[in-house]
Amino acid sequence: MKKGARTRQQMLETAMELFNQQGYHGTGVNQVLSESAAPRGSLYFHFPGGKQQLAAEAVAASGRQVGELLALVLADVAEPREAVAAIVGHFERALVESDFRRGCPVATVALEASAESPEVRSACGGAYGLWQEQLAERFRGWGITEARADELAVVALSLIEGALLLCKVRRDVAPLRTTGEQLTALLEAARTEAN
């Protein structure tokens, strides 16, 4: 990788982590430059759209990372209970290991900046859309009808996002565990109804 591409990638990875932990407004461009060891003028060279472009690309990259994780988790499980446990386990570890600073890598930016920036809103929507489709596809693979799988993907995503927020506020993983149990029950009931 060439030096310029490496600098851009370092800035992007730093921004992904900072936006996840601190949000859009809590993360300054100077902090991204400093923590990525990027030269001062490199932000607008690599991200001509400034902080909004950096945020949109960071959210999109984070969305792809979570999407890849979901694909791996969902490919290796045969039952709803296993899938939910793996997803909950991943987010639980991320919360605890970061001292509850990390949660969903999209939600913090979505809450703060999506109303201000169509570019950021589009990136957030793309990430959520990818995850929702991955969940729905897996749910259909368990024999759940297409319409019900689509509905449950929205419910699953909403439950997990809400649980992550509660966990961060309470500094406790209990809401995520409770959500996992309830989501498992919903999926197993839908699977039984379909068969």
Side-chain angles (χ1 to χ4, degrees), residues 12 16 19 53-68 105-106 109 119-120 122-128 130-131:
L12 188 61
M16 289 164 63
F19 286 135
Q53 180 183 354
L54 179 61
E57 289 193 35
V59 164
S62 292
R64 287 189 299 274
Q65 280 185 350
V66 173
E68 289 167 7
V106 174
V109 174
E119 189 175 15
V120 171
S122 176
C124 293
Y128 286 133
L130 170 66
W131 303 343

Side-chain angles (χ1 to χ4, degrees), residues 32-49:
V32 173
L33 291 171
S34 173
E35 292 195 21
S36 65
R40 277 255 178 247
S42 59
L43 176 74
Y44 290 101
F45 178 78
H46 293 293
F47 302 94

Side-chain angles (χ1 to χ4, degrees), residues 114-183:
S114 63
E116 301 168 13
S117 169
E119 189 175 15
V120 171
R121 183 174 50 254
S122 176
C124 293
Y128 286 133
L130 170 66
W131 303 343
Q132 187 177 325
E133 181 49 42
Q134 286 177 295
L135 291 170
E137 183 179 326
R138 186 67 202 130
F139 298 168
R140 288 189 292 270
W142 290 329
I144 298 171
T145 65
E146 185 169 344
R148 187 68 176 133
D150 291 343
E151 293 171 349
L152 286 171
V154 172
V155 170
L157 195 52
S158 301
L159 286 172
I160 292 168
E161 286 290 343
L164 289 170
L165 181 59
L166 285 174
C167 289
K168 286 179 81 169
V169 169
R170 294 180 182 174
R171 299 182 57 76
D172 183 5
V173 295
L176 191 56
R177 290 177 180 171
T178 300
T179 294
E181 291 167 10
Q182 295 303 311
L183 180 55

